[in-house]
Amino acid sequence: MKKKSFFLMLLSGMLLWGCSQPPAISKDEIAIIPLPQKLETGFGYFVMNEKTQIAFNQTDEEVASVAAYMREVLAPATGFKLASGNASKNVIVLMIDEAISGNKGVYQLDVKPRKIVISAPDATGLFYGVQTLRQLLPVEITQNTLQAGVEWKIPSVSVNDEPSFQYRGLHLDVARHFFPVSFIKKYIDLLAFHKMNKFHWHLTEDQGWRIEIKKYPLLAEISSMRKETLIGHGGIPPFEFDGQPYGGYYTQEEIKEVVAYAQSRHITVIPEIELPGHTVAVLAAYPELGCTGGPYEVVTRWGVFDDVFCAGNDEVFTFLENVMLEVMELFPSEYIHIGGDECPKTRWKACKKCQQRIKNEGLKNEYELQSYFIQRVEKFLNAHGRQIIGWDEILEGGLAPRATVMSWRGEEGGIEAAKMRHDVIMTPNSHLYFDHYQNNSKEEPLAICCFTDLAKVYSYYPIPEALNNEEAKHILGAQANLWTEYMKTPEHVEYMAYPRAVALSEVVWTDKSLKNYDDFIRRLKVHLKRLDGMNVNYFNKDF
Ligand code: ACM
Ligand code: ZN
């Protein structure tokens, strides 16, 4: 054989081989956060184009809602309006398969060059499959405008995935500073993108009440407004103020809109109505609910304040029950957060009515009076089919019988509650307070205190070693908190939340044995481009 024809044969052989054997996918080209529990790579790519169809059971409303969501999130960058249809190739199938078992949210995703199949026992799993699919596409997919010239290739993979923890939360304090509905929706979209499922909406504080309650119009009129706001740090007098009236609240229509928006993203909104402390804003409008009768003013600086609900006055409970009736009407969440933190006992000690209550109820002290207060509210909410969450101070003076404890002053409260067989959500200020500094630079914007960087968040594991297997089952998951004394704008909230919330998503989703900080950082560098597309003002130094 002549040399030339030998080379031609070799060349055509290589071409043929190239056609029949698409390239092997390397794991290095994949950057999904949170890391799936199991992912295997295959050969070749599915290429999405304007002819790609979405196949699903259109009579199943929840599945149809996932399909609509997928169409909506894929449209802006690609310009594709994916049609529904049952093509045998170039199709993305969303399929309910009740045989797939696992934790709520479990799904499988199978990408092959001709077909993508997302299957799960329920719509929540399908929804998470869609999130993984978004992160398999080129990073431009999150852009809000048409991205010309991008080939929308999805590498062949087989994913078997489920969350490790059932409670995967992020909190936002909208009372110290108020944020518009448009931002709340963006916050929720970002949670969904990271397969988080709880939004803890901290709606009431000394410095402002942020939810319209029809029965008590003065909450909107008076409690939602403060006359000015502290300048600088709250811990160091003399205090200086800006002289600018500040306020805002969500109407019930807006609340319904947010709850529905979150629901379509498989996120539960858990409202927090603080009691008995952190309630000066309420007292400003309804002074008869305090021990001294006032007058009170909506608070203009940061801290913990002595004026709280009077525990000896039955009108307080009538007020709270009426408020809770409207709250329950607005929020389908089984959980209602009742606060319970940082309630000084100063006023109760000096109040005749409070002391009379202690006597009448056979209570030992003001801590037991606090427990009485919480239990009375719990009983009312339980009677309406709801459960309470409270900050770990609700352990003091006796834990309400069915309460779930949110452990914030470290993990001790959570450990104690789990040992008592109560459910627990871990949100320790040692690792998950995103109002802390994340960098040592002098240029960081003012924060409350402390240092909680990305690596520290990533290192967190919600189950303390002090618990045995039975007790550990009561740790439902974890949440990070964003208290907004020092965050005045959405951009600043994003700066404090991201990318720490990205690390948290892996803490609560991915099995501990699979976590690896170096690999997380490799994936994060890709992921930040996705956050760019979503216009997120994340912190971007030193990782
Ligand atoms: C809290 O940080 N006071 C719950
Ligand atoms: Zn009192």
Side-chain angles (χ1 to χ4, degrees):
M1 196 192 296
K2 280 185 187 160
K3 249 187 188 170
K4 197 170 163 189
S5 55
F6 172 76
F7 276 118
L8 277 174
M9 260 179 65
L10 193 66
L11 188 64
S12 57
M14 279 162 69
L15 283 172
L16 268 174
W17 185 81
C19 290
S20 59
Q21 190 68 17
I25 302 297
S26 155
K27 282 197 175 175
D28 292 341
E29 62 182 283
I30 293 170
I32 300 168
I33 301 180
L35 186 73
Q37 309 289 8
K38 187 157 175 249
L39 180 147
E40 283 164 6
T41 55
F43 295 86
Y45 295 86
F46 179 98
V47 180
M48 193 170 68
N49 56 34
E50 66 285 342
K51 300 226 172 69
T52 301
Q53 293 187 351
I54 309 175
F56 60 99
N57 176 0
Q58 303 194 27
T59 63
D60 185 327
E61 253 178 60
E62 287 195 25
V63 174
S65 158
V66 176
Y69 171 86
M70 179 166 84
R71 191 174 280 132
E72 187 186 317
V73 292
L74 298 181
T78 63
F80 304 152
K81 296 183 183 70
L82 302 182
S84 306
N86 271 311
S88 60
K89 59 180 185 180
N90 196 10
V91 64
I92 303 171
V93 182
L94 300 178
M95 196 173 72
I96 293 290
D97 180 352
E98 277 157 14
I100 297 173
S101 68
N103 296 334
K104 169 84 177 173
V106 62
Y107 70 92
Q108 296 175 359
L109 167 63
D110 193 49
V111 180
K112 294 221 165 64
R114 290 163 63 93
K115 190 182 208 174
I116 294 175
V117 180
I118 302 175
S119 46
D122 60 19
T124 302
L126 295 180
F127 184 80
Y128 294 146
V130 170
Q131 299 306 342
T132 298
L133 187 66
R134 289 172 83 189
Q135 296 196 14
L136 284 165
L137 277 155
V139 291
E140 291 86 350
I141 193 64
T142 59
Q143 294 281 342
N144 202 26
T145 54
L146 191 64
Q147 304 294 297
V150 177
E151 192 185 17
W152 300 105
K153 286 163 70 174
I154 303 167
S156 289
V157 289
S158 169
V159 176
N160 285 271
D161 202 9
E162 64 177 330
S164 293
F165 290 95
Q166 61 175 282
Y167 190 110
R168 305 181 299 280
L170 200 64
H171 150 287
L172 184 64
D173 166 12
V174 297
R176 270 56 175 267
H177 284 101
F178 180 71
F179 304 98
V181 167
S182 58
F183 178 65
I184 302 300
K185 287 182 174 173
K186 185 181 179 191
Y187 204 71
I188 286 169
D189 277 329
L190 284 166
L191 288 184
F193 191 49
H194 296 92
K195 304 189 177 87
M196 305 279 281
N197 67 348
K198 304 284 191 260
F199 170 48
H200 172 174
W201 206 359
H202 185 83
L203 286 163
T204 71
E205 264 302 339
D206 300 302
Q207 297 85 0
W209 178 282
R210 308 278 175 234
I211 168 175
E212 178 191 25
I213 299 293
K214 306 267 192 204
K215 196 168 177 89
Y216 298 104
L218 298 185
L219 292 172
E221 204 174 301
I222 293 173
S223 308
S224 79
M225 289 297 301
R226 59 178 180 253
K227 70 170 195 255
E228 58 188 0
T229 302
L230 181 82
I231 298 170
H233 200 278
I236 316 156
F239 299 120
E240 234 192 291
F241 296 88
D242 64 6
Q244 300 295 312
Y246 185 94
Y249 66 91
Y250 305 103
T251 65
Q252 295 205 347
E253 283 313 304
E254 288 174 323
I255 301 245
K256 284 181 205 159
E257 190 184 324
V258 167
V259 168
Y261 192 83
Q263 233 161 14
S264 70
R265 282 144 182 81
H266 297 264
I267 289 172
T268 304
V269 184
I270 300 174
E272 180 178 357
I273 306 296
E274 274 267 21
L275 56 93
H278 285 297
T279 46
V280 179
V282 178
L283 304 184
Y286 299 98
E288 65 276 17
L289 304 180
C291 288
T292 67
Y296 307 96
E297 266 192 356
V298 179
V299 179
T300 56
R301 60 187 177 90
W302 319 126
V304 174
F305 302 93
D306 282 342
D307 287 307
V308 302
F309 280 133
C310 177
N313 181 353
D314 281 333
E315 272 182 60
V316 166
F317 296 94
T318 308
F319 169 86
L320 284 170
E321 288 172 8
N322 286 329
V323 166
M324 289 302 184
L325 286 174
E326 293 191 33
V327 167
M328 288 187 282
E329 194 62 36
L330 292 168
F331 294 93
S333 166
E334 188 186 5
Y335 278 131
I336 307 288
H337 200 306
I338 52 77
D341 61 321
E342 298 178 324
C343 179
K345 309 297 184 285
T346 321
R347 295 289 182 261
W348 292 356
K349 281 183 181 154
C351 171
K352 270 199 197 124
K353 284 187 197 162
C354 285
Q355 292 305 313
Q356 192 60 45
R357 175 87 73 197
I358 287 179
K359 225 186 205 165
N360 293 352
E361 298 292 331
L363 307 172
K364 278 215 256 324
N365 53 32
E366 288 73 23
Y367 288 96
E368 290 200 355
L369 182 59
Q370 161 156 318
S371 174
Y372 165 87
F373 197 113
I374 304 286
Q375 293 196 34
R376 191 158 158 180
V377 175
E378 178 184 60
K379 205 178 275 174
F380 179 79
L381 291 173
N382 285 173
H384 289 81
R386 307 303 177 98
Q387 300 296 327
I388 66 164
I389 302 179
W391 300 109
D392 57 57
E393 285 93 333
I394 67 169
L395 282 151
E396 297 163 359
L399 188 53
R402 298 170 71 181
T404 293
V405 171
M406 203 166 250
S407 189
W408 74 277
R409 297 175 298 178
E411 292 184 320
E412 289 68 27
I415 292 169
E416 190 184 334
K419 284 185 183 291
M420 293 162 70
R421 303 294 196 265
H422 279 250
D423 286 344
V424 170
I425 296 145
M426 284 298 186
T427 176
N429 53 7
S430 56
H431 290 76
L432 299 181
Y433 265 45
F434 290 178
D435 55 345
H436 291 176
Y437 286 101
Q438 52 195 323
N439 182 268
N440 277 323
S441 158
K442 292 259 187 306
E443 270 129 61
E444 283 302 300
L446 182 68
I448 187 161
C449 71
C450 316
F451 183 74
T452 303
D453 67 0
L454 187 70
K456 189 159 189 198
V457 175
Y458 192 79
S459 75
Y460 188 63
Y461 183 61
I463 299 177
E465 279 174 13
L467 298 181
N468 67 31
N469 287 345
E470 257 330 286
E471 293 157 354
K473 287 182 190 155
H474 289 281
I475 308 295
L476 305 183
Q479 169 180 296
N481 298 335
L482 283 107
W483 302 103
T484 59
E485 288 93 334
Y486 305 101
M487 303 172 209
K488 291 179 196 287
T489 63
E491 293 72 26
H492 196 171
V493 170
E494 289 179 358
Y495 182 83
M496 300 305 274
Y498 287 89
R500 290 187 286 195
V502 181
L504 172 64
S505 78
E506 197 146 307
V507 165
V508 286
W509 181 279
T510 306
D511 192 83
K512 194 184 177 190
S513 66
L514 300 173
K515 280 170 64 193
N516 174 313
Y517 189 63
D518 292 338
D519 183 62
F520 172 72
I521 293 299
R522 173 190 73 78
R523 286 177 286 122
L524 180 64
K525 285 177 179 164
V526 178
H527 194 72
L528 292 180
K529 295 180 195 151
R530 301 183 185 123
L531 298 187
D532 286 333
M534 295 167 159
N535 199 23
V536 179
N537 182 43
Y538 53 82
F539 166 92
N540 189 14
K541 289 185 208 122
D542 278 5
F543 27 81

PDB file of all heavy atoms in Angstrom, residues 393-416:
ATOM      1  N   GLU A 393     -33.922  31.013  73.242  1.00  0.00           N
ATOM      2  CA  GLU A 393     -34.331  31.498  74.567  1.00  0.00           C
ATOM      3  C   GLU A 393     -35.631  30.853  75.031  1.00  0.00           C
ATOM      4  O   GLU A 393     -35.932  30.870  76.231  1.00  0.00           O
ATOM      5  CB  GLU A 393     -34.520  33.021  74.547  1.00  0.00           C
ATOM      6  CG  GLU A 393     -33.223  33.817  74.519  1.00  0.00           C
ATOM      7  CD  GLU A 393     -32.773  34.155  73.114  1.00  0.00           C
ATOM      8  OE1 GLU A 393     -33.103  33.407  72.170  1.00  0.00           O
ATOM      9  OE2 GLU A 393     -32.080  35.182  72.949  1.00  0.00           O
ATOM     10  N   ILE A 394     -36.414  30.292  74.096  1.00  0.00           N
ATOM     11  CA  ILE A 394     -37.689  29.688  74.534  1.00  0.00           C
ATOM     12  C   ILE A 394     -37.446  28.429  75.376  1.00  0.00           C
ATOM     13  O   ILE A 394     -38.373  27.883  75.966  1.00  0.00           O
ATOM     14  CB  ILE A 394     -38.657  29.379  73.362  1.00  0.00           C
ATOM     15  CG1 ILE A 394     -38.127  28.275  72.450  1.00  0.00           C
ATOM     16  CG2 ILE A 394     -38.987  30.646  72.568  1.00  0.00           C
ATOM     17  CD1 ILE A 394     -39.168  27.772  71.446  1.00  0.00           C
ATOM     18  N   LEU A 395     -36.204  27.984  75.451  1.00  0.00           N
ATOM     19  CA  LEU A 395     -35.879  26.874  76.365  1.00  0.00           C
ATOM     20  C   LEU A 395     -35.902  27.332  77.826  1.00  0.00           C
ATOM     21  O   LEU A 395     -36.130  26.534  78.733  1.00  0.00           O
ATOM     22  CB  LEU A 395     -34.488  26.328  76.051  1.00  0.00           C
ATOM     23  CG  LEU A 395     -34.380  25.408  74.827  1.00  0.00           C
ATOM     24  CD1 LEU A 395     -32.992  25.508  74.219  1.00  0.00           C
ATOM     25  CD2 LEU A 395     -34.694  23.967  75.200  1.00  0.00           C
ATOM     26  N   GLU A 396     -35.647  28.623  78.026  1.00  0.00           N
ATOM     27  CA  GLU A 396     -35.541  29.142  79.397  1.00  0.00           C
ATOM     28  C   GLU A 396     -36.919  29.168  80.042  1.00  0.00           C
ATOM     29  O   GLU A 396     -37.870  29.660  79.450  1.00  0.00           O
ATOM     30  CB  GLU A 396     -34.955  30.567  79.363  1.00  0.00           C
ATOM     31  CG  GLU A 396     -33.537  30.613  78.808  1.00  0.00           C
ATOM     32  CD  GLU A 396     -33.104  32.018  78.398  1.00  0.00           C
ATOM     33  OE1 GLU A 396     -33.910  32.964  78.533  1.00  0.00           O
ATOM     34  OE2 GLU A 396     -31.966  32.152  77.920  1.00  0.00           O
ATOM     35  N   GLY A 397     -37.030  28.630  81.224  1.00  0.00           N
ATOM     36  CA  GLY A 397     -38.319  28.622  81.925  1.00  0.00           C
ATOM     37  C   GLY A 397     -39.236  27.498  81.476  1.00  0.00           C
ATOM     38  O   GLY A 397     -40.389  27.446  81.875  1.00  0.00           O
ATOM     39  N   GLY A 398     -38.733  26.602  80.621  1.00  0.00           N
ATOM     40  CA  GLY A 398     -39.530  25.451  80.188  1.00  0.00           C
ATOM     41  C   GLY A 398     -39.950  25.578  78.735  1.00  0.00           C
ATOM     42  O   GLY A 398     -40.613  26.532  78.351  1.00  0.00           O
ATOM     43  N   LEU A 399     -39.581  24.572  77.933  1.00  0.00           N
ATOM     44  CA  LEU A 399     -39.856  24.602  76.497  1.00  0.00           C
ATOM     45  C   LEU A 399     -41.325  24.274  76.223  1.00  0.00           C
ATOM     46  O   LEU A 399     -41.885  23.345  76.813  1.00  0.00           O
ATOM     47  CB  LEU A 399     -38.938  23.575  75.806  1.00  0.00           C
ATOM     48  CG  LEU A 399     -38.899  23.547  74.288  1.00  0.00           C
ATOM     49  CD1 LEU A 399     -38.613  24.921  73.695  1.00  0.00           C
ATOM     50  CD2 LEU A 399     -37.849  22.541  73.818  1.00  0.00           C
ATOM     51  N   ALA A 400     -41.947  25.052  75.338  1.00  0.00           N
ATOM     52  CA  ALA A 400     -43.321  24.770  74.927  1.00  0.00           C
ATOM     53  C   ALA A 400     -43.377  23.357  74.332  1.00  0.00           C
ATOM     54  O   ALA A 400     -42.452  22.941  73.638  1.00  0.00           O
ATOM     55  CB  ALA A 400     -43.785  25.812  73.916  1.00  0.00           C
ATOM     56  N   PRO A 401     -44.473  22.626  74.620  1.00  0.00           N
ATOM     57  CA  PRO A 401     -44.481  21.177  74.369  1.00  0.00           C
ATOM     58  C   PRO A 401     -44.136  20.741  72.943  1.00  0.00           C
ATOM     59  O   PRO A 401     -43.535  19.709  72.753  1.00  0.00           O
ATOM     60  CB  PRO A 401     -45.910  20.760  74.718  1.00  0.00           C
ATOM     61  CG  PRO A 401     -46.454  21.841  75.578  1.00  0.00           C
ATOM     62  CD  PRO A 401     -45.679  23.082  75.304  1.00  0.00           C
ATOM     63  N   ARG A 402     -44.544  21.506  71.939  1.00  0.00           N
ATOM     64  CA  ARG A 402     -44.331  21.030  70.566  1.00  0.00           C
ATOM     65  C   ARG A 402     -43.418  21.949  69.761  1.00  0.00           C
ATOM     66  O   ARG A 402     -43.335  21.835  68.540  1.00  0.00           O
ATOM     67  CB  ARG A 402     -45.687  20.879  69.874  1.00  0.00           C
ATOM     68  CG  ARG A 402     -46.553  19.845  70.593  1.00  0.00           C
ATOM     69  CD  ARG A 402     -47.973  19.855  70.090  1.00  0.00           C
ATOM     70  NE  ARG A 402     -48.064  19.299  68.742  1.00  0.00           N
ATOM     71  CZ  ARG A 402     -49.205  19.219  68.058  1.00  0.00           C
ATOM     72  NH1 ARG A 402     -50.330  19.648  68.602  1.00  0.00           N
ATOM     73  NH2 ARG A 402     -49.224  18.710  66.846  1.00  0.00           N
ATOM     74  N   ALA A 403     -42.723  22.843  70.452  1.00  0.00           N
ATOM     75  CA  ALA A 403     -41.943  23.865  69.742  1.00  0.00           C
ATOM     76  C   ALA A 403     -40.722  23.292  69.030  1.00  0.00           C
ATOM     77  O   ALA A 403     -40.083  22.359  69.510  1.00  0.00           O
ATOM     78  CB  ALA A 403     -41.487  24.924  70.735  1.00  0.00           C
ATOM     79  N   THR A 404     -40.413  23.875  67.881  1.00  0.00           N
ATOM     80  CA  THR A 404     -39.144  23.639  67.197  1.00  0.00           C
ATOM     81  C   THR A 404     -38.210  24.782  67.580  1.00  0.00           C
ATOM     82  O   THR A 404     -38.623  25.946  67.591  1.00  0.00           O
ATOM     83  CB  THR A 404     -39.366  23.588  65.671  1.00  0.00           C
ATOM     84  OG1 THR A 404     -40.136  22.429  65.373  1.00  0.00           O
ATOM     85  CG2 THR A 404     -38.048  23.532  64.919  1.00  0.00           C
ATOM     86  N   VAL A 405     -36.974  24.436  67.907  1.00  0.00           N
ATOM     87  CA  VAL A 405     -36.026  25.434  68.409  1.00  0.00           C
ATOM     88  C   VAL A 405     -35.050  25.838  67.317  1.00  0.00           C
ATOM     89  O   VAL A 405     -34.481  24.996  66.628  1.00  0.00           O
ATOM     90  CB  VAL A 405     -35.256  24.871  69.625  1.00  0.00           C
ATOM     91  CG1 VAL A 405     -34.114  25.809  70.023  1.00  0.00           C
ATOM     92  CG2 VAL A 405     -36.212  24.671  70.805  1.00  0.00           C
ATOM     93  N   MET A 406     -34.892  27.155  67.164  1.00  0.00           N
ATOM     94  CA  MET A 406     -33.894  27.673  66.242  1.00  0.00           C
ATOM     95  C   MET A 406     -32.697  28.090  67.088  1.00  0.00           C
ATOM     96  O   MET A 406     -32.773  29.056  67.854  1.00  0.00           O
ATOM     97  CB  MET A 406     -34.491  28.844  65.471  1.00  0.00           C
ATOM     98  CG  MET A 406     -33.810  29.114  64.170  1.00  0.00           C
ATOM     99  SD  MET A 406     -34.795  30.235  63.133  1.00  0.00           S
ATOM    100  CE  MET A 406     -35.319  29.115  61.835  1.00  0.00           C
ATOM    101  N   SER A 407     -31.609  27.347  66.960  1.00  0.00           N
ATOM    102  CA  SER A 407     -30.455  27.513  67.840  1.00  0.00           C
ATOM    103  C   SER A 407     -29.522  28.564  67.255  1.00  0.00           C
ATOM    104  O   SER A 407     -28.884  28.337  66.236  1.00  0.00           O
ATOM    105  CB  SER A 407     -29.734  26.165  67.961  1.00  0.00           C
ATOM    106  OG  SER A 407     -28.735  26.213  68.943  1.00  0.00           O
ATOM    107  N   TRP A 408     -29.460  29.725  67.926  1.00  0.00           N
ATOM    108  CA  TRP A 408     -28.656  30.826  67.363  1.00  0.00           C
ATOM    109  C   TRP A 408     -27.466  31.197  68.223  1.00  0.00           C
ATOM    110  O   TRP A 408     -26.441  31.622  67.722  1.00  0.00           O
ATOM    111  CB  TRP A 408     -29.532  32.046  67.064  1.00  0.00           C
ATOM    112  CG  TRP A 408     -29.981  32.848  68.259  1.00  0.00           C
ATOM    113  CD1 TRP A 408     -31.038  32.579  69.060  1.00  0.00           C
ATOM    114  CD2 TRP A 408     -29.389  34.056  68.758  1.00  0.00           C
ATOM    115  NE1 TRP A 408     -31.149  33.541  70.032  1.00  0.00           N
ATOM    116  CE2 TRP A 408     -30.150  34.466  69.876  1.00  0.00           C
ATOM    117  CE3 TRP A 408     -28.298  34.843  68.362  1.00  0.00           C
ATOM    118  CZ2 TRP A 408     -29.858  35.621  70.604  1.00  0.00           C
ATOM    119  CZ3 TRP A 408     -28.005  35.990  69.098  1.00  0.00           C
ATOM    120  CH2 TRP A 408     -28.777  36.367  70.201  1.00  0.00           C
ATOM    121  N   ARG A 409     -27.588  31.032  69.570  1.00  0.00           N
ATOM    122  CA  ARG A 409     -26.457  31.382  70.434  1.00  0.00           C
ATOM    123  C   ARG A 409     -25.530  30.170  70.496  1.00  0.00           C
ATOM    124  O   ARG A 409     -25.398  29.516  71.520  1.00  0.00           O
ATOM    125  CB  ARG A 409     -26.964  31.778  71.822  1.00  0.00           C
ATOM    126  CG  ARG A 409     -27.859  33.031  71.782  1.00  0.00           C
ATOM    127  CD  ARG A 409     -28.446  33.352  73.134  1.00  0.00           C
ATOM    128  NE  ARG A 409     -29.309  32.272  73.623  1.00  0.00           N
ATOM    129  CZ  ARG A 409     -29.924  32.275  74.807  1.00  0.00           C
ATOM    130  NH1 ARG A 409     -29.774  33.295  75.633  1.00  0.00           N
ATOM    131  NH2 ARG A 409     -30.686  31.279  75.163  1.00  0.00           N
ATOM    132  N   GLY A 410     -24.930  29.847  69.383  1.00  0.00           N
ATOM    133  CA  GLY A 410     -24.175  28.609  69.266  1.00  0.00           C
ATOM    134  C   GLY A 410     -25.121  27.434  69.095  1.00  0.00           C
ATOM    135  O   GLY A 410     -26.298  27.611  68.734  1.00  0.00           O
ATOM    136  N   GLU A 411     -24.620  26.235  69.359  1.00  0.00           N
ATOM    137  CA  GLU A 411     -25.399  25.011  69.136  1.00  0.00           C
ATOM    138  C   GLU A 411     -26.013  24.453  70.419  1.00  0.00           C
ATOM    139  O   GLU A 411     -26.772  23.491  70.369  1.00  0.00           O
ATOM    140  CB  GLU A 411     -24.494  23.925  68.538  1.00  0.00           C
ATOM    141  CG  GLU A 411     -24.023  24.237  67.132  1.00  0.00           C
ATOM    142  CD  GLU A 411     -23.210  23.087  66.552  1.00  0.00           C
ATOM    143  OE1 GLU A 411     -22.404  22.493  67.308  1.00  0.00           O
ATOM    144  OE2 GLU A 411     -23.387  22.793  65.364  1.00  0.00           O
ATOM    145  N   GLU A 412     -25.678  25.062  71.570  1.00  0.00           N
ATOM    146  CA  GLU A 412     -26.065  24.464  72.856  1.00  0.00           C
ATOM    147  C   GLU A 412     -27.580  24.310  72.982  1.00  0.00           C
ATOM    148  O   GLU A 412     -28.066  23.262  73.399  1.00  0.00           O
ATOM    149  CB  GLU A 412     -25.513  25.279  74.042  1.00  0.00           C
ATOM    150  CG  GLU A 412     -24.002  25.189  74.230  1.00  0.00           C
ATOM    151  CD  GLU A 412     -23.211  25.867  73.116  1.00  0.00           C
ATOM    152  OE1 GLU A 412     -23.750  26.818  72.501  1.00  0.00           O
ATOM    153  OE2 GLU A 412     -22.078  25.430  72.839  1.00  0.00           O
ATOM    154  N   GLY A 413     -28.306  25.358  72.621  1.00  0.00           N
ATOM    155  CA  GLY A 413     -29.763  25.295  72.711  1.00  0.00           C
ATOM    156  C   GLY A 413     -30.314  24.189  71.827  1.00  0.00           C
ATOM    157  O   GLY A 413     -31.242  23.465  72.215  1.00  0.00           O
ATOM    158  N   GLY A 414     -29.733  24.055  70.653  1.00  0.00           N
ATOM    159  CA  GLY A 414     -30.176  23.004  69.728  1.00  0.00           C
ATOM    160  C   GLY A 414     -29.898  21.620  70.278  1.00  0.00           C
ATOM    161  O   GLY A 414     -30.731  20.702  70.163  1.00  0.00           O
ATOM    162  N   ILE A 415     -28.745  21.472  70.910  1.00  0.00           N
ATOM    163  CA  ILE A 415     -28.383  20.174  71.495  1.00  0.00           C
ATOM    164  C   ILE A 415     -29.357  19.821  72.618  1.00  0.00           C
ATOM    165  O   ILE A 415     -29.891  18.714  72.682  1.00  0.00           O
ATOM    166  CB  ILE A 415     -26.917  20.206  72.000  1.00  0.00           C
ATOM    167  CG1 ILE A 415     -25.967  20.299  70.800  1.00  0.00           C
ATOM    168  CG2 ILE A 415     -26.609  18.986  72.863  1.00  0.00           C
ATOM    169  CD1 ILE A 415     -24.514  20.603  71.164  1.00  0.00           C
ATOM    170  N   GLU A 416     -29.603  20.824  73.466  1.00  0.00           N
ATOM    171  CA  GLU A 416     -30.522  20.602  74.595  1.00  0.00           C
ATOM    172  C   GLU A 416     -31.919  20.209  74.086  1.00  0.00           C
ATOM    173  O   GLU A 416     -32.534  19.262  74.593  1.00  0.00           O
ATOM    174  CB  GLU A 416     -30.589  21.893  75.433  1.00  0.00           C
ATOM    175  CG  GLU A 416     -31.298  21.749  76.753  1.00  0.00           C
ATOM    176  CD  GLU A 416     -31.401  23.099  77.491  1.00  0.00           C
ATOM    177  OE1 GLU A 416     -30.561  23.996  77.264  1.00  0.00           O
ATOM    178  OE2 GLU A 416     -32.344  23.251  78.284  1.00  0.00           O
TER     179      GLU A 416
END
